[in-house]
Amino acid sequence: CVVAFRHSVVPSLARCEMLNGPGMQATNKKFKMQLEEVPTLFLEFQGDNVDQLMEDARNTEQMAKKHGCTGYTLAEEGSKIDDLWEARRGCFFAAKDWNDRPEADNVYP
């Protein structure tokens, strides 16, 4: 899926990052979120043209579903976007703080 994004023309795609299931679980715990605890791609679109941003979001959704993606959520509001990216930026610290598993099983992104 990520390779498809990289080889396609998505003008406003600025960032594409992935967390695995345990990374999502750790992030939920640290940031008190309720995101699905499955491998997850975070996509960030940037630009001034809202129509282009929405078209790019629709195109990436179609590509993702073509490659087996089971869900797609578009965060359009500032606060929702900020919450998601704050959690994504903090995933390393979430993984470090994850104490529910033996040290040998901890996952560090």
Side-chain angles (χ1 to χ4, degrees), residues 13-87:
L13 183 60
R15 188 172 290 124
C16 177
E17 301 178 11
M18 182 176 175
L19 282 178
N20 63 10
M24 293 298 293
Q25 187 177 7
T27 298
N28 277 341
K29 182 177 179 182
K30 177 140 183 107
F31 293 95
K32 297 176 181 32
M33 300 185 81
Q34 296 180 341
L35 301 171
E36 196 171 356
E37 295 173 354
V38 298
T40 301
L41 285 176
F42 288 86
L43 307 174
E44 181 178 345
F45 301 93
Q46 293 180 349
D48 296 327
N49 184 327
V50 175
D51 292 333
Q52 180 68 57
L53 292 170
M54 296 306 291
E55 181 180 338
D56 289 349
R58 283 190 300 274
N59 289 341
T60 55
E61 178 179 15
Q62 290 172 357
M63 281 187 271
K65 288 184 176 179
K66 180 180 176 185
H67 287 88
C69 175
T70 58
Y72 188 97
T73 302
L74 180 62
E76 296 181 60
E77 297 175 8
S79 63
K80 188 173 181 182
I81 293 168
D82 292 343
D83 290 346
L84 286 173
W85 281 101
E86 178 183 354

Coordinates of all heavy atoms in Angstrom, one line a residue, residues 13-87:
L13 N 0.1 14.6 -0.6 CA 0.6 13.7 0.4 C 1.9 14.1 0.9 O 2.9 14.0 0.2 CB 0.6 12.2 -0.1 CG 1.0 11.2 0.9 CD1 0.0 11.1 2.0 CD2 1.0 9.8 0.2
A14 N 2.0 14.6 2.2 CA 3.2 15.1 2.8 C 3.9 14.0 3.6 O 5.1 14.0 3.8 CB 2.9 16.3 3.6
R15 N 3.1 13.1 4.2 CA 3.7 12.2 5.2 C 2.9 10.9 5.2 O 1.6 10.9 5.1 CB 3.7 12.8 6.6 CG 4.4 12.1 7.6 CD 4.6 12.8 8.9 NE 5.5 13.9 8.7 CZ 5.2 15.2 8.9 NH1 4.0 15.6 9.3 NH2 6.1 16.2 8.7
C16 N 3.6 9.8 5.3 CA 2.9 8.5 5.4 C 3.7 7.7 6.4 O 4.9 7.4 6.2 CB 2.9 7.8 4.0 SG 2.3 6.1 4.0
E17 N 3.1 7.4 7.6 CA 3.8 6.7 8.6 C 2.9 5.5 9.1 O 1.7 5.5 9.1 CB 4.1 7.6 9.8 CG 4.9 8.8 9.4 CD 5.1 9.8 10.5 OE1 4.8 9.5 11.7 OE2 5.6 10.9 10.2
M18 N 3.6 4.4 9.6 CA 2.9 3.2 10.0 C 3.2 2.9 11.4 O 4.3 3.0 11.9 CB 3.3 2.1 9.1 CG 2.6 0.8 9.5 SD 3.0 -0.5 8.3 CE 2.1 -1.8 9.1
L19 N 2.2 2.4 12.1 CA 2.3 1.8 13.5 C 1.8 0.4 13.4 O 0.7 0.2 12.8 CB 1.6 2.6 14.5 CG 2.2 3.9 15.1 CD1 1.2 4.5 16.1 CD2 3.5 3.6 15.7
N20 N 2.4 -0.5 14.1 CA 1.9 -1.9 14.1 C 0.8 -2.0 15.2 O 0.6 -1.0 15.9 CB 3.0 -2.9 14.3 CG 3.8 -2.8 15.6 OD1 3.4 -2.0 16.5 ND2 4.9 -3.4 15.7
G21 N 0.2 -3.2 15.4 CA -0.9 -3.3 16.4 C -0.4 -3.0 17.8 O -1.1 -2.3 18.5
P22 N 0.7 -3.6 18.2 CA 1.2 -3.3 19.6 C 1.6 -1.8 19.8 O 1.3 -1.2 20.8 CB 2.5 -4.2 19.8 CG 2.2 -5.3 18.9 CD 1.5 -4.7 17.7
G23 N 2.0 -1.2 18.7 CA 2.3 0.3 18.8 C 1.0 1.1 19.0 O 1.0 2.0 19.7
M24 N 0.0 0.6 18.3 CA -1.3 1.3 18.5 C -1.9 1.1 19.9 O -2.4 2.0 20.5 CB -2.3 0.8 17.4 CG -2.0 1.2 16.0 SD -2.0 2.9 15.7 CE -3.7 3.3 15.9
Q25 N -1.7 -0.1 20.4 CA -2.1 -0.4 21.8 C -1.4 0.5 22.8 O -2.0 1.0 23.7 CB -1.9 -1.9 22.1 CG -2.5 -2.3 23.4 CD -2.3 -3.8 23.7 OE1 -1.6 -4.5 22.9 NE2 -2.9 -4.3 24.7
A26 N -0.1 0.6 22.6 CA 0.7 1.4 23.5 C 0.3 2.9 23.4 O 0.2 3.6 24.4 CB 2.2 1.3 23.2
T27 N 0.0 3.3 22.2 CA -0.4 4.7 22.0 C -1.7 5.0 22.6 O -1.9 6.0 23.2 CB -0.4 5.0 20.4 OG1 0.9 4.8 19.9 CG2 -0.9 6.4 20.1
N28 N -2.7 4.0 22.5 CA -4.0 4.2 23.1 C -3.8 4.3 24.6 O -4.5 5.2 25.2 CB -4.9 3.0 22.8 CG -5.5 3.1 21.5 OD1 -5.7 4.1 20.9 ND2 -6.0 1.9 20.9
K29 N -3.0 3.5 25.2 CA -2.8 3.5 26.6 C -2.2 4.9 27.1 O -2.8 5.5 28.0 CB -1.9 2.4 27.1 CG -1.8 2.3 28.6 CD -1.0 1.1 29.0 CE -0.8 1.2 30.5 NZ 0.0 0.1 31.0
K30 N -1.2 5.3 26.4 CA -0.5 6.5 26.9 C -1.3 7.8 26.6 O -1.4 8.7 27.5 CB 0.8 6.7 26.1 CG 1.6 8.0 26.5 CD 3.0 7.8 26.6 CE 3.7 9.1 27.1 NZ 4.2 9.0 28.4
F31 N -2.0 7.8 25.5 CA -2.8 9.1 25.2 C -4.3 8.9 25.4 O -5.0 9.8 25.0 CB -2.5 9.4 23.7 CG -1.1 9.8 23.5 CD1 -0.1 8.9 23.1 CD2 -0.7 11.1 23.7 CE1 1.2 9.3 22.9 CE2 0.7 11.5 23.6 CZ 1.6 10.6 23.2
K32 N -4.7 7.8 26.1 CA -6.1 7.6 26.4 C -7.0 7.8 25.2 O -8.0 8.5 25.2 CB -6.5 8.6 27.6 CG -5.7 8.3 28.8 CD -6.1 9.2 29.9 CE -5.3 9.0 31.2 NZ -4.0 8.5 31.2
M33 N -6.6 7.1 24.1 CA -7.3 7.1 22.9 C -8.0 5.8 22.7 O -7.7 4.8 23.5 CB -6.4 7.4 21.7 CG -5.8 8.8 21.9 SD -4.8 9.3 20.5 CE -6.1 9.9 19.4
Q34 N -8.9 5.7 21.7 CA -9.6 4.4 21.4 C -9.4 4.1 20.0 O -10.4 3.8 19.3 CB -11.0 4.5 21.9 CG -11.2 4.7 23.4 CD -12.7 4.8 23.8 OE1 -13.5 5.1 23.0 NE2 -12.9 4.5 25.0
L35 N -8.2 4.1 19.5 CA -8.0 3.8 18.1 C -7.9 2.3 17.9 O -7.5 1.6 18.9 CB -6.6 4.4 17.6 CG -6.5 5.9 17.8 CD1 -5.1 6.4 17.5 CD2 -7.5 6.6 16.8
E36 N -8.3 1.8 16.8 CA -8.3 0.4 16.5 C -6.8 -0.1 16.6 O -5.9 0.5 16.1 CB -8.8 0.1 15.1 CG -9.2 -1.4 14.9 CD -10.0 -1.6 13.7 OE1 -10.3 -0.7 13.0 OE2 -10.2 -2.8 13.4
E37 N -6.6 -1.2 17.3 CA -5.3 -1.7 17.6 C -4.8 -2.7 16.5 O -4.6 -3.9 16.8 CB -5.2 -2.3 19.0 CG -5.4 -1.2 20.0 CD -5.5 -1.6 21.5 OE1 -5.5 -2.9 21.7 OE2 -5.6 -0.7 22.3
V38 N -4.7 -2.2 15.3 CA -4.3 -3.0 14.2 C -3.2 -2.2 13.4 O -3.1 -1.0 13.7 CB -5.5 -3.3 13.2 CG1 -6.5 -4.2 13.9 CG2 -6.1 -2.0 12.7
P39 N -2.4 -2.8 12.5 CA -1.5 -2.0 11.8 C -2.2 -0.8 11.1 O -3.3 -1.0 10.5 CB -0.9 -3.0 10.7 CG -1.1 -4.3 11.4 CD -2.4 -4.2 12.2
T40 N -1.6 0.4 11.3 CA -2.3 1.6 10.9 C -1.3 2.5 10.1 O -0.2 2.7 10.6 CB -2.8 2.3 12.1 OG1 -3.7 1.5 12.8 CG2 -3.5 3.6 11.8
L41 N -1.8 3.1 9.0 CA -1.1 4.1 8.3 C -1.7 5.4 8.7 O -2.9 5.6 8.6 CB -1.2 3.9 6.8 CG -0.5 2.8 6.1 CD1 -0.8 2.7 4.6 CD2 1.0 3.0 6.3
F42 N -0.8 6.4 9.0 CA -1.2 7.7 9.2 C -0.7 8.5 7.9 O 0.5 8.5 7.6 CB -0.5 8.3 10.4 CG -1.0 7.8 11.7 CD1 -0.5 6.6 12.2 CD2 -2.0 8.5 12.4 CE1 -1.0 6.1 13.4 CE2 -2.5 8.0 13.6 CZ -2.0 6.8 14.1
L43 N -1.7 9.2 7.3 CA -1.4 10.0 6.1 C -1.6 11.4 6.4 O -2.6 11.8 7.0 CB -2.3 9.5 4.9 CG -2.3 8.1 4.6 CD1 -3.3 7.8 3.5 CD2 -0.9 7.6 4.1
E44 N -0.7 12.3 6.0 CA -0.9 13.7 6.2 C -0.9 14.4 4.8 O 0.0 14.2 4.0 CB 0.2 14.3 7.0 CG 0.1 15.8 7.3 CD 1.1 16.4 8.1 OE1 1.9 15.7 8.8 OE2 1.3 17.6 8.1
F45 N -1.9 15.1 4.6 CA -2.1 15.9 3.3 C -1.9 17.4 3.7 O -2.4 17.9 4.7 CB -3.5 15.7 2.7 CG -3.8 14.2 2.4 CD1 -4.4 13.4 3.3 CD2 -3.4 13.7 1.2 CE1 -4.7 12.1 3.0 CE2 -3.6 12.4 0.9 CZ -4.3 11.6 1.8
Q46 N -1.1 18.1 2.8 CA -0.9 19.5 3.0 C -1.2 20.3 1.7 O -0.9 19.8 0.6 CB 0.5 19.8 3.4 CG 0.9 19.2 4.8 CD 2.3 19.5 5.1 OE1 3.1 20.0 4.3 NE2 2.6 19.3 6.4
G47 N -1.8 21.4 1.8 CA -2.0 22.3 0.7 C -3.0 23.3 0.9 O -3.7 23.3 2.0
D48 N -3.2 24.2 0.0 CA -4.2 25.3 0.1 C -5.5 25.1 -0.6 O -6.5 25.7 -0.3 CB -3.5 26.6 -0.4 CG -2.3 27.1 0.3 OD1 -2.3 26.8 1.6 OD2 -1.4 27.6 -0.3
N49 N -5.5 24.1 -1.5 CA -6.6 23.8 -2.3 C -7.5 22.7 -1.7 O -7.1 21.5 -1.8 CB -6.2 23.5 -3.8 CG -7.3 23.3 -4.7 OD1 -8.4 22.8 -4.3 ND2 -7.1 23.6 -6.0
V50 N -8.6 23.0 -1.1 CA -9.4 22.0 -0.4 C -9.9 21.0 -1.3 O -9.9 19.8 -1.0 CB -10.5 22.7 0.4 CG1 -11.5 21.7 1.0 CG2 -10.0 23.6 1.4
D51 N -10.3 21.4 -2.5 CA -10.7 20.4 -3.5 C -9.7 19.4 -3.9 O -9.9 18.2 -3.9 CB -11.2 21.0 -4.8 CG -12.5 21.9 -4.6 OD1 -13.3 21.5 -3.6 OD2 -12.7 22.8 -5.3
Q52 N -8.4 19.8 -4.0 CA -7.3 18.9 -4.3 C -7.0 18.0 -3.1 O -6.8 16.8 -3.3 CB -6.0 19.7 -4.7 CG -4.8 18.9 -5.0 CD -5.0 18.1 -6.3 OE1 -5.2 18.7 -7.3 NE2 -4.9 16.8 -6.3
L53 N -7.1 18.5 -1.9 CA -6.9 17.7 -0.7 C -7.9 16.6 -0.6 O -7.5 15.5 -0.3 CB -6.9 18.6 0.5 CG -5.8 19.6 0.7 CD1 -6.1 20.6 1.8 CD2 -4.5 18.9 0.9
M54 N -9.2 17.0 -0.9 CA -10.2 16.0 -0.8 C -10.1 14.9 -1.9 O -10.3 13.7 -1.6 CB -11.6 16.6 -0.8 CG -11.9 17.6 0.4 SD -11.6 16.8 2.0 CE -13.0 15.7 2.0
E55 N -9.7 15.3 -3.1 CA -9.5 14.4 -4.2 C -8.4 13.4 -3.8 O -8.5 12.2 -4.0 CB -9.2 15.1 -5.5 CG -9.0 14.2 -6.6 CD -8.7 14.9 -8.0 OE1 -9.1 16.1 -8.1 OE2 -8.2 14.3 -8.8
D56 N -7.3 14.0 -3.3 CA -6.1 13.1 -2.9 C -6.5 12.2 -1.8 O -6.1 11.0 -1.8 CB -5.0 14.0 -2.5 CG -4.3 14.7 -3.7 OD1 -4.7 14.4 -4.9 OD2 -3.5 15.6 -3.4
A57 N -7.3 12.6 -0.9 CA -7.8 11.7 0.2 C -8.6 10.6 -0.3 O -8.5 9.4 0.0 CB -8.5 12.5 1.3
R58 N -9.5 10.9 -1.3 CA -10.4 9.9 -1.9 C -9.5 8.9 -2.7 O -9.7 7.7 -2.6 CB -11.4 10.5 -2.8 CG -12.6 11.1 -2.1 CD -13.7 11.5 -3.0 NE -13.3 12.5 -4.0 CZ -13.3 13.8 -3.8 NH1 -13.7 14.3 -2.7 NH2 -12.9 14.6 -4.8
N59 N -8.5 9.4 -3.4 CA -7.6 8.5 -4.2 C -6.8 7.6 -3.3 O -6.7 6.4 -3.7 CB -6.7 9.4 -5.1 CG -7.5 10.0 -6.3 OD1 -8.6 9.6 -6.6 ND2 -6.9 11.1 -6.8
T60 N -6.3 8.1 -2.2 CA -5.5 7.2 -1.3 C -6.4 6.2 -0.7 O -6.0 5.1 -0.4 CB -4.7 8.0 -0.3 OG1 -5.6 8.9 0.4 CG2 -3.6 8.8 -0.9
E61 N -7.6 6.6 -0.4 CA -8.6 5.7 0.2 C -8.8 4.5 -0.7 O -8.8 3.3 -0.3 CB -9.9 6.3 0.6 CG -10.9 5.4 1.2 CD -12.2 6.0 1.6 OE1 -12.5 7.2 1.1 OE2 -13.0 5.4 2.3
Q62 N -9.1 4.8 -2.0 CA -9.3 3.8 -3.0 C -8.1 2.9 -3.1 O -8.2 1.6 -3.2 CB -9.6 4.4 -4.4 CG -11.0 5.0 -4.4 CD -11.3 5.8 -5.7 OE1 -10.4 5.9 -6.5 NE2 -12.5 6.4 -5.8
M63 N -6.9 3.5 -3.2 CA -5.6 2.6 -3.3 C -5.5 1.8 -2.0 O -5.1 0.6 -2.1 CB -4.4 3.6 -3.4 CG -4.2 4.1 -4.7 SD -2.6 5.0 -4.8 CE -3.1 6.6 -4.3
A64 N -5.8 2.3 -0.9 CA -5.6 1.5 0.4 C -6.6 0.4 0.4 O -6.2 -0.8 0.7 CB -5.9 2.4 1.6
K65 N -7.8 0.6 0.0 CA -8.8 -0.5 0.0 C -8.4 -1.5 -1.0 O -8.6 -2.7 -0.8 CB -10.2 0.1 -0.2 CG -10.7 0.8 1.0 CD -12.1 1.3 0.9 CE -12.5 1.9 2.3 NZ -13.9 2.4 2.3
K66 N -7.9 -1.1 -2.2 CA -7.4 -2.0 -3.2 C -6.3 -3.0 -2.7 O -6.2 -4.1 -3.1 CB -6.9 -1.3 -4.4 CG -6.4 -2.1 -5.5 CD -6.0 -1.3 -6.7 CE -5.4 -2.1 -7.8 NZ -4.8 -1.3 -8.9
H67 N -5.6 -2.5 -1.7 CA -4.5 -3.3 -1.1 C -4.8 -3.9 0.2 O -4.0 -4.3 1.0 CB -3.2 -2.4 -1.0 CG -2.6 -2.1 -2.3 ND1 -3.0 -1.0 -3.1 CD2 -1.7 -2.7 -3.0 CE1 -2.3 -1.0 -4.2 NE2 -1.5 -2.0 -4.2
G68 N -6.1 -4.0 0.5 CA -6.6 -4.8 1.7 C -6.9 -4.0 2.9 O -7.1 -4.5 4.0
C69 N -6.8 -2.7 2.8 CA -7.2 -1.8 4.0 C -8.6 -2.1 4.4 O -9.5 -2.1 3.5 CB -7.0 -0.4 3.6 SG -7.5 0.8 4.9
T70 N -8.9 -2.3 5.7 CA -10.2 -2.6 6.1 C -11.0 -1.4 6.7 O -12.2 -1.5 6.9 CB -10.2 -3.7 7.2 OG1 -9.4 -3.2 8.3 CG2 -9.6 -5.0 6.7
G71 N -10.3 -0.3 6.8 CA -11.0 0.9 7.3 C -10.2 2.2 6.9 O -9.0 2.1 6.6
Y72 N -10.9 3.3 6.8 CA -10.3 4.5 6.4 C -11.0 5.7 7.1 O -12.2 5.7 7.0 CB -10.3 4.7 4.9 CG -9.6 5.9 4.3 CD1 -8.3 5.7 3.8 CD2 -10.1 7.2 4.3 CE1 -7.5 6.7 3.3 CE2 -9.4 8.2 3.8 CZ -8.1 8.0 3.3 OH -7.4 9.1 2.8
T73 N -10.3 6.5 7.9 CA -10.9 7.6 8.6 C -10.2 8.9 8.2 O -9.0 8.9 8.2 CB -10.8 7.4 10.1 OG1 -11.4 6.2 10.5 CG2 -11.5 8.5 10.8
L74 N -11.0 9.8 7.8 CA -10.5 11.1 7.4 C -10.7 12.1 8.5 O -11.9 12.4 8.8 CB -11.1 11.6 6.1 CG -10.6 12.9 5.5 CD1 -9.1 12.9 5.2 CD2 -11.4 13.3 4.3
A75 N -9.7 12.7 9.0 CA -9.8 13.7 10.1 C -9.7 15.1 9.4 O -8.7 15.4 8.9 CB -8.7 13.5 11.1
E76 N -10.9 15.8 9.4 CA -10.9 17.1 8.7 C -10.9 18.2 9.7 O -10.5 19.3 9.3 CB -12.2 17.2 7.9 CG -12.3 16.2 6.8 CD -13.6 16.3 6.0 OE1 -13.8 17.4 5.4 OE2 -14.3 15.3 5.9
E77 N -11.2 18.0 11.0 CA -11.2 19.1 11.9 C -9.9 19.3 12.6 O -9.2 18.3 12.9 CB -12.2 18.8 13.0 CG -13.7 18.6 12.6 CD -14.6 18.2 13.7 OE1 -14.2 18.2 14.9 OE2 -15.8 17.9 13.4
G78 N -9.5 20.5 12.9 CA -8.2 20.8 13.5 C -7.9 20.0 14.8 O -6.8 19.5 14.9
S79 N -8.9 20.0 15.7 CA -8.6 19.3 17.0 C -8.5 17.8 16.8 O -7.6 17.2 17.5 CB -9.7 19.6 18.0 OG -11.0 19.1 17.5
K80 N -9.2 17.2 15.9 CA -9.1 15.8 15.7 C -7.8 15.5 15.0 O -7.1 14.5 15.4 CB -10.3 15.3 14.8 CG -10.3 13.8 14.7 CD -11.6 13.3 14.0 CE -11.6 11.8 13.8 NZ -12.8 11.4 13.1
I81 N -7.4 16.3 14.1 CA -6.1 16.1 13.4 C -5.0 16.3 14.5 O -4.0 15.4 14.5 CB -5.9 17.2 12.3 CG1 -6.9 16.9 11.2 CG2 -4.5 17.1 11.7 CD1 -7.0 18.0 10.2
D82 N -5.0 17.3 15.3 CA -4.0 17.5 16.3 C -3.9 16.4 17.2 O -2.8 16.0 17.6 CB -4.3 18.8 17.1 CG -4.1 20.1 16.2 OD1 -3.5 20.0 15.1 OD2 -4.7 21.1 16.6
D83 N -5.0 15.8 17.7 CA -5.0 14.7 18.6 C -4.3 13.5 18.0 O -3.5 12.8 18.6 CB -6.4 14.3 19.1 CG -7.0 15.3 20.0 OD1 -6.3 16.2 20.5 OD2 -8.3 15.3 20.2
L84 N -4.7 13.2 16.8 CA -4.1 12.0 16.1 C -2.6 12.2 15.9 O -1.8 11.3 16.2 CB -4.7 11.8 14.7 CG -6.1 11.2 14.7 CD1 -6.7 11.2 13.3 CD2 -6.1 9.8 15.3
W85 N -2.1 13.3 15.5 CA -0.7 13.5 15.2 C 0.1 13.7 16.5 O 1.2 13.3 16.6 CB -0.5 14.7 14.2 CG -0.7 14.2 12.9 CD1 -1.8 14.4 12.1 CD2 0.1 13.3 12.1 NE1 -1.7 13.7 10.9 CE2 -0.5 13.0 10.9 CE3 1.4 12.7 12.3 CZ2 0.0 12.2 9.9 CZ3 1.9 11.9 11.3 CH2 1.2 11.7 10.1
E86 N -0.5 14.2 17.6 CA 0.2 14.2 18.9 C 0.4 12.8 19.3 O 1.5 12.4 19.8 CB -0.7 14.9 19.9 CG 0.0 14.9 21.3 CD -0.8 15.6 22.4 OE1 -1.9 16.2 22.1 OE2 -0.4 15.5 23.5
A87 N -0.6 11.9 19.2 CA -0.4 10.5 19.5 C 0.7 9.8 18.7 O 1.5 9.1 19.1 CB -1.7 9.8 19.5

